Amino acid sequence: MAERRFDPTRLPGFATVAVAVFVMLYLPIATLVAYSFNGGESVAVWGGFSLDWYGRAWANETVKAAALRSVVIAACASTLATVLATLAAVGVVRNRRMKGRAVVYMAINQPLMVPEIVTAVALLIFFASVRQATGYQGLGYLIAAHAAFCVPFAYLPISARLEGMDATLEAAAADLYATPRQAFRHVTLPLLTPGIIAGAMLAFVISLDDVVITEFVKSAGQDTLPTYMLAQMRRGVSPEVNAISTMLLLVTVALLTAFFIINRQTNRGKQRKRPQSLPSASRPWRCPRWPRGS
Amino acid sequence: MGPAQANRASWTLAAPALMLLLIGSIGPLLIVLVYSFLTPGDYSGVQRPFTTRAWEQVFLTRDIFDDTLSWADAHLTIFWRSVKLSVLTTVITFLLGLPTAWFIATRPRERRALWLFLITIPFWTNLLIRTIAINEIIRSEGLLNQVLGWVGAGPLNLLYTDTAVLIGMAYVYLPMMVLPMYAAIDRFDTRLLEAAYDLFANRWQALAHVVLPVIRPGILAGSILVFVPSLGAYVTPRVLGGGKNMMIGNFIELQFGQGQNWPLGAALAVLLLVAVGLALAIYVRVLGGTGRDDG
């Protein structure tokens, strides 16, 4: 046999399938965005480019209220989740011999492993009885629920950053007579900031996107943008839903791009073999995004 | 600081987060378990006595006239659809995901980040938006039927069928399969392939006997990341399956809404949780067998 010439990295047909997959991934999203600019009344027929539907969505008081509610909930929940996740990460990551470390780890990642619909009905039951007992009807339930499932997403980049940080800097601070509190305030916290920002951003996106838990926990008149869209889908697609989707998409992409830039700077100089933002193959719960809103 | 003191400090710092999770996630799950053993309330909610009625209802129906028990066909249909669609979703995403992950991992290092970013954008895009986007493609006047019309093929009535749900789930969960497989392929030593070729393996033999066994942890992780959420899927079957093509997730919702049978809903939720737990346990077990838990 003649010399076998080959490129071991090429498998026949793989590149073709891969490119087809990328096209298939983006085609529906592109179609949705394109149709949000459709000037025609009907969803089916292209009636020329127009920003009509954006204008209508913008003028719709229900949509505006839902958007504001989404942002308020996401801001409160992500702040709460980030603060608590930071405290927990500092406590857990720095103490490698901590007793019950695995328990804390499991508890923090628990929202990722339970199907969202199960958590949703569990919260429906729980908050229904709290509502009956206290009479409180506000956004507090939604904020608490969102904060809880945001904790693992906030925890992930913060603990990754902490693990990559040099603990000797804190030891040096202690040698220079800094109290633990001072060492944290002036050494650990500034170094941890990029991780905290990244964690807060992930938590914000996750909260903003949530459908299932919000749908079950909300009281009447507490729609967020995603639950409003879900309700609209009962009547099929409307160009207005496309316009709202496109705007939400834009917010997500903007936040993600910012996240990647921050994350890249965070990881720079750490000489890690794999980027932090990728899920490890053998531990799905370290994946940056377990399917929320399934 | 001694170890005991350090322990106490760690727990103190973790306590607020744990409290929040207890209120917002773990605690309510225990209440669901209790509810599954109660009797439906007159309007909604539950009342005593404690019974196993709900659990019996999961699989069996009692005839209202002669009190005989028979299999609850409607429930079994929904369970079967959930399992079937979840398995199919996992298989489809694997078949499409493997070439994609391989493609990304074999790009030049500088360009790999871009391809990864392209996979990550849909990964992070709101699942509801992606489901609506698929709806846009497959509905009767959607893009697919327009294209089919141009080539003279008849229109397909896909929307509100099991196939629509399957297409939707494969679409929304595909990135979950690609990312862990990419991570595994990225660490794959291509010299193994050269060795296989030297030993006269053809490409498919090399794929089956060298590549797949080595990247098995990535395949398993991807499969579990797709299978588990598929089984509990709620949004995709609701938007693409209509009212009829329910999966377990929608059926649970039905019991808490129109069905007004909270104990049955709770029992179904516990059942789903057990199924998912089982899948995760098998996953950990199988992965332990490979001895490659190096993540």
Side-chain angles (χ1 to χ4, degrees):
Chain A
M1 199 191 281
E3 188 193 345
R4 284 151 55 98
R5 303 183 118 260
F6 64 90
D7 175 357
T9 60
R10 292 214 174 161
L11 287 163
F14 270 34
T16 319
V17 175
V19 171
V21 162
F22 278 105
V23 172
M24 284 192 294
L25 275 179
Y26 280 91
L27 191 67
I29 299 177
T31 311
L32 180 132
V33 172
Y35 269 98
S36 74
F37 296 108
N38 187 1
E41 273 299 317
S42 146
V43 279
V45 187
W46 180 257
F49 178 89
S50 120
L51 291 171
D52 245 23
W53 291 106
Y54 289 88
R56 287 198 212 185
W58 199 250
N60 184 336
E61 289 302 324
T62 320
V63 172
K64 249 195 273 186
L68 183 66
R69 205 172 287 119
S70 283
V71 171
V72 168
I73 293 169
C76 294
S78 59
T79 307
L80 184 60
T82 310
V83 171
L84 301 192
T86 307
L87 291 175
V90 169
V92 175
V93 174
R94 277 285 175 263
N95 186 359
R96 291 206 168 272
R97 296 206 189 135
M98 176 185 178
K99 268 198 189 127
R101 208 170 188 243
V103 176
V104 178
Y105 194 74
M106 288 265 288
I108 285 175
N109 287 290
Q110 175 271 340
L112 305 184
M113 287 181 252
V114 173
E116 207 178 2
I117 184 78
V118 177
T119 311
V121 296
L123 287 167
L124 169 73
I125 292 176
F126 179 57
F127 287 147
S129 45
V130 176
R131 207 175 272 136
Q132 214 163 33
T134 64
Y136 174 70
Q137 299 278 354
L139 287 180
Y141 304 112
L142 280 171
I143 292 171
H146 278 227
F149 68 67
C150 285
V151 163
F153 294 98
Y155 184 85
L156 192 93
I158 297 170
S159 64
R161 173 85 180 158
L162 259 177
E163 272 162 21
M165 243 164 68
D166 197 348
T168 52
L169 288 171
E170 286 160 46
D175 275 351
L176 296 169
Y177 298 103
T179 62
R181 202 173 286 264
Q182 284 171 327
F184 179 78
R185 170 76 188 78
H186 297 288
V187 179
T188 316
L189 198 59
L191 287 170
L192 197 54
T193 306
I196 294 175
I197 293 173
M201 280 186 340
L202 289 196
F204 188 83
V205 173
I206 291 289
S207 167
L208 205 62
D209 279 355
D210 180 76
V211 192
V212 182
I213 287 176
T214 313
E215 175 80 2
F216 282 74
V217 170
K218 74 183 168 72
S219 311
Q222 287 189 340
D223 265 318
T224 59
L225 271 187
T227 61
Y228 172 79
M229 284 156 63
L230 185 67
Q232 294 295 305
M233 286 307 290
R234 275 195 199 288
R235 280 172 258 152
V237 239
S238 80
E240 189 198 56
V241 166
N242 287 354
I244 301 170
S245 299
T246 306
M247 288 192 276
L248 257 176
L249 202 69
L250 217 74
V251 173
T252 309
V253 172
L255 279 171
L256 269 189
T257 312
F259 169 78
F260 272 100
I261 291 168
I262 290 175
N263 210 38
R264 186 183 289 178
Q265 280 163 357
T266 304
N267 289 332
R268 196 170 283 166
K270 246 163 63 179
Q271 302 295 326
R272 293 188 70 111
K273 267 186 255 153
R274 270 173 284 138
Q276 280 297 323
S277 54
L278 282 179
S280 144
S282 48
R283 287 194 194 155
W285 46 89
R286 302 210 56 179
C287 186
R289 175 165 192 170
W290 186 273
R292 299 235 48 107
S294 42
Chain B
M1 200 156 52
Q5 248 182 316
N7 257 340
R8 206 175 320 136
S10 291
W11 276 99
T12 312
L13 286 168
L18 297 180
M19 281 294 288
L20 175 66
L21 286 161
L22 201 66
I23 297 170
S25 200
I26 302 166
L29 289 180
L30 299 173
I31 301 174
V32 171
L33 186 64
V34 174
Y35 267 47
S36 72
F37 289 101
L38 285 165
T39 309
D42 292 330
Y43 298 102
S44 74
V46 287
Q47 58 192 21
R48 283 187 215 189
F50 282 92
T51 74
T52 52
R53 247 334 272 292
W55 282 98
E56 182 189 293
Q57 276 182 350
V58 169
F59 298 106
L60 301 168
T61 37
R62 194 180 287 277
D63 194 290
I64 45 168
F65 297 113
D66 58 11
D67 236 24
T68 49
L69 286 173
S70 57
W71 289 107
D73 292 335
H75 301 186
L76 297 177
T77 310
I78 291 168
F79 296 160
W80 168 237
R81 178 183 295 124
S82 301
V83 172
K84 182 183 73 181
L85 291 182
S86 305
V87 170
L88 282 174
T89 303
T90 312
V91 172
I92 292 172
T93 51
F94 169 71
L95 292 178
L96 293 175
L98 179 68
T100 311
W102 187 266
F103 174 81
I104 301 173
T106 52
R107 289 312 93 189
R109 197 157 273 287
E110 333 65 83
R111 254 184 273 151
R112 222 180 289 174
L114 177 69
W115 287 108
L116 271 179
F117 191 65
L118 285 178
I119 277 287
T120 323
I121 294 262
F123 183 62
W124 281 95
T125 301
N126 191 329
L127 190 136
L128 176 64
I129 293 179
R130 283 182 289 156
T131 308
I132 293 173
I134 278 288
N135 185 316
E136 192 85 351
I137 298 284
I138 63 175
R139 70 198 157 83
S140 46
E141 329 84 61
L143 194 64
L144 180 68
N145 276 329
Q146 285 182 22
V147 173
L148 284 178
W150 294 333
V151 299
L156 289 174
N157 285 317
L158 277 175
L159 201 57
Y160 309 135
T161 63
D162 280 2
T163 315
V165 179
L166 182 62
I167 293 172
M169 293 209 302
Y171 177 68
V172 296
Y173 296 134
L174 184 67
M176 312 273 185
M177 183 63 96
V178 174
L179 286 170
M181 283 207 292
Y182 162 79
I185 296 172
D186 191 36
R187 281 175 293 171
F188 180 78
D189 186 347
T190 47
R191 283 174 305 182
L192 290 175
L193 271 183
E194 292 173 36
Y197 282 111
D198 279 346
L199 296 168
F200 299 104
N202 65 33
R203 290 179 200 271
W204 295 114
Q205 284 169 330
L207 180 69
H209 299 292
V210 180
V211 177
L212 291 184
V214 174
I215 64 164
R216 203 165 82 123
I219 297 172
L220 289 171
S223 303
I224 204 85
L225 277 171
V226 171
F227 182 77
V228 166
S230 300
L231 201 61
Y234 170 77
V235 169
T236 311
R238 175 166 160 183
V239 172
L240 299 176
K244 273 189 189 164
N245 302 65
M246 275 190 276
M247 286 178 60
I248 301 176
N250 314 93
F251 193 51
I252 292 172
E253 193 230 343
L254 188 70
Q255 300 311 320
F256 281 93
Q258 289 170 10
Q260 298 290 3
N261 192 344
W262 286 29
L264 178 59
L268 290 163
V270 174
L271 191 74
L272 177 58
L273 198 55
V274 169
V276 165
L278 217 64
L280 284 170
I282 292 171
Y283 165 71
V284 170
R285 199 63 193 267
V286 171
L287 199 75
T290 66
R292 284 184 55 96
D293 189 14
D294 54 355

